[in-house]
Amino acid sequence: MIRKAIKAVLQPFAMLVRAVLWPVNRLLALLLAGRVNPNSVLHVSYMVHIPFETVRHLRRQGIKADYLAIGRSPHWNQCDINFVPSPIPPFRALQEFWLFWTVIARYQVVHAHFMYTISETGWELPLLKVMNRKLVAHFRGCEARDRMRNMQLHPDVNICQSCDHHPYVCQTMSAARRRVWAEEFADATLVTTPDMKDFLPNATHFPFFSPDVTERNAPPSGRPFTIVHITNQPGIEGTAEIVAAIDILKAKGHDIDFRWFSNIPHAQVLVEIANADLAVGKMKMGYYANAQIETMACGVPTITFVRDEFMTDELRASGFIFTTLPRLADTIAHYMANPIELEAKRRIARASILKLHDNDRLAQRLAGEYRRLAEV
């Protein structure tokens, strides 16, 4: 509370610093517009593994790609540039000024994941436009969604029904401002799953890259049937309903070891996946996401829910097992009773997901988009 009070007192001084620096920024934008690294892109996000891996794939395509992570995380610590904002607002304003002109302004393209930028106000976005830099707004989750619209469009099942974000991320002022930023400043808008086009209809669906993991051996026999569930957001995942389905099966005498992992390091997630017979996740969103790609890449058949309009022949032929929450217990029971069918899914899980999320193809597509933007 004391820290928040001090921050509130000092916030006007930060605004004053930014106001004083604004004419300097405008002048520098005109003078330094030509100082740019060709064929370059800077990925900006909070500290997480996904942008780090994206940058590695882009470098293989000849793109000068770097990753700027904002803040720190107990679960991931790899990036090219780590910006840790000062808790003192005027100092943060000076940090932002220095970082923008020494790092960010040199890139042709700034690719903002989750609509993260170095500032809380977005002061740098107009400068990027003045300098003819290109901004890619990459929505990856609830920062793209409208809670009321989601519940109206999909009243039977949606991830907003039991949301455990407080306050709702989609309804905060910062989220609303970021959506406006995307509409006003973005030269390209991407979404990681097609359900987000309900809220950003003009966005392009750009799928996740597949993780750089090795296939696990088949789980050992002679132990309980092991099911893993990985989520940091149980309220939007359908975790309560998944647990209820498992409890129903256990009450009927099924020997199940249900392992639910939350807020653990990414490397540990991959270790825990190794012993699983099945994975289950994303049962309310209408499409699968990164955790399901990771379990499949490890060779673990994965239960998930995909809306009918997004279903394809490639998905049906994959190692995914598609069902709904009301049918989840029956679906698990079926594969427990039919190990040959489960093994058939296991044999194709990894190859099918790597085909759906081919890293070279996706990196080539993204590199092509950067080059297109740079030519405009």
Side-chain angles (χ1 to χ4, degrees):
M1 294 295 293
I2 295 176
R3 178 177 290 184
K4 286 185 177 180
I6 294 174
K7 183 176 180 180
V9 169
L10 293 177
Q11 196 65 48
F13 293 96
M15 296 173 63
L16 178 61
V17 170
R18 291 192 179 98
V20 170
L21 289 175
W22 184 245
V24 179
N25 283 323
R26 294 287 296 186
L27 178 60
L28 290 175
L30 296 173
L31 294 175
L32 302 179
R35 192 190 65 170
V36 60
N37 296 321
N39 198 33
S40 63
V41 59
L42 180 68
H43 285 249
V44 182
S45 171
Y46 70 87
M47 182 70 82
V48 67
H49 67 282
I50 295 172
F52 175 81
E53 293 174 351
T54 300
V55 161
R56 291 172 61 199
H57 296 307
L58 288 169
R59 287 172 180 169
R60 296 188 187 109
Q61 300 299 321
I63 299 290
K64 176 179 170 40
D66 293 304
Y67 170 33
L68 187 157
I70 299 174
R72 295 193 176 98
S73 168
H75 308 308
W76 187 261
N77 62 3
Q78 297 184 61
C79 62
D80 299 298
I81 305 150
N82 189 196
F83 172 50
V84 181
S86 170
I88 303 173
F91 290 170
R92 174 168 181 166
L94 293 171
Q95 280 182 304
E96 293 170 359
F97 173 81
W98 180 258
L99 183 64
F100 181 80
W101 290 111
T102 59
V103 177
I104 296 172
R106 294 176 177 269
Y107 289 83
Q108 274 187 327
V109 179
V110 176
H111 187 136
H113 298 259
F114 308 96
M115 275 311 297
Y116 261 73
T117 58
I118 61 165
S119 75
E120 296 176 312
T121 64
W123 64 263
E124 73 273 32
L125 300 178
L127 295 177
L128 291 172
K129 301 298 286 186
V130 169
M131 300 176 76
N132 197 34
R133 307 299 191 257
K134 306 302 178 180
L135 176 66
V136 176
H138 198 156
F139 290 91
R140 291 186 167 275
C142 291
E143 79 278 5
R145 294 185 172 92
D146 181 309
R147 183 171 187 266
M148 297 308 297
R149 177 168 172 76
N150 201 21
M151 296 182 74
Q152 290 169 357
L153 288 173
H154 311 288
D156 294 333
V157 59
N158 64 75
I159 66 171
C160 298
Q161 291 165 324
S162 303
C163 179
D164 46 8
H165 285 292
H166 300 289
Y168 295 117
V169 170
C170 60
Q171 293 181 336
T172 64
M173 184 180 297
S174 62
R177 185 169 61 235
R178 285 170 179 162
R179 284 195 291 270
V180 171
W181 289 350
E183 293 173 3
E184 185 173 352
F185 295 109
D187 299 283
T189 302
L190 308 179
V191 291
T192 52
T193 56
D195 61 291
M196 280 190 261
K197 287 173 68 68
D198 285 343
F199 319 104
L200 295 163
N202 296 322
T204 299
H205 174 213
F206 185 82
F208 288 94
F209 286 94
S210 56
D212 185 15
V213 298
T214 57
E215 186 170 13
R216 276 27 180 187
N217 295 325
S221 57
R223 89 285 187 261
F225 190 87
T226 303
I227 300 174
V228 297
H229 174 60
I230 303 163
T231 181
N232 293 334
Q233 300 166 322
I236 69 174
E237 186 84 17
T239 300
E241 293 92 332
I242 294 169
V243 171
I246 299 296
D247 288 343
I248 289 171
L249 293 170
K250 287 182 176 180
K252 293 180 178 180
H254 292 283
D255 189 11
I256 296 175
D257 179 12
F258 178 65
R259 315 197 74 190
W260 167 20
F261 300 103
S262 179
N263 291 310
I264 64 174
H266 183 246
Q268 186 179 344
V269 168
L270 298 178
V271 171
E272 298 292 350
I273 291 171
N275 294 319
D277 293 285
L278 270 178
V280 58
K282 280 292 177 286
M283 295 301 300
K284 300 182 76 172
M285 191 173 77
Y287 206 74
Y288 63 94
N290 195 58
Q292 291 70 56
I293 298 170
E294 290 182 339
T295 53
M296 288 273 282
C298 289
V300 179
T302 299
I303 298 175
T304 193
F305 167 61
V306 167
R307 295 200 321 237
D308 289 342
E309 65 264 36
F310 303 139
M311 189 60 69
T312 65
D313 291 341
E314 290 78 12
L315 286 175
R316 293 187 187 93
S318 72
F320 276 124
I321 298 168
F322 298 105
T323 192
T324 62
L325 281 170
R327 302 202 312 264
L328 179 59
D330 290 340
T331 300
I332 294 172
H334 172 83
Y335 280 94
M336 291 183 70
N338 294 275
I340 294 177
E341 289 188 34
L342 181 60
E343 179 57 29
K345 284 289 187 180
R346 175 176 287 279
R347 283 198 303 269
I348 64 173
R350 178 176 169 83
S352 63
I353 201 67
L354 295 185
K355 182 178 179 181
L356 286 164
H357 296 264
D358 182 283
N359 287 335
D360 287 339
R361 173 175 54 81
L362 290 172
Q364 290 168 8
R365 176 181 162 189
L366 194 53
E369 178 67 9
Y370 295 150
R371 294 186 181 108
R372 183 189 69 80
L373 291 175
E375 292 172 357
V376 176

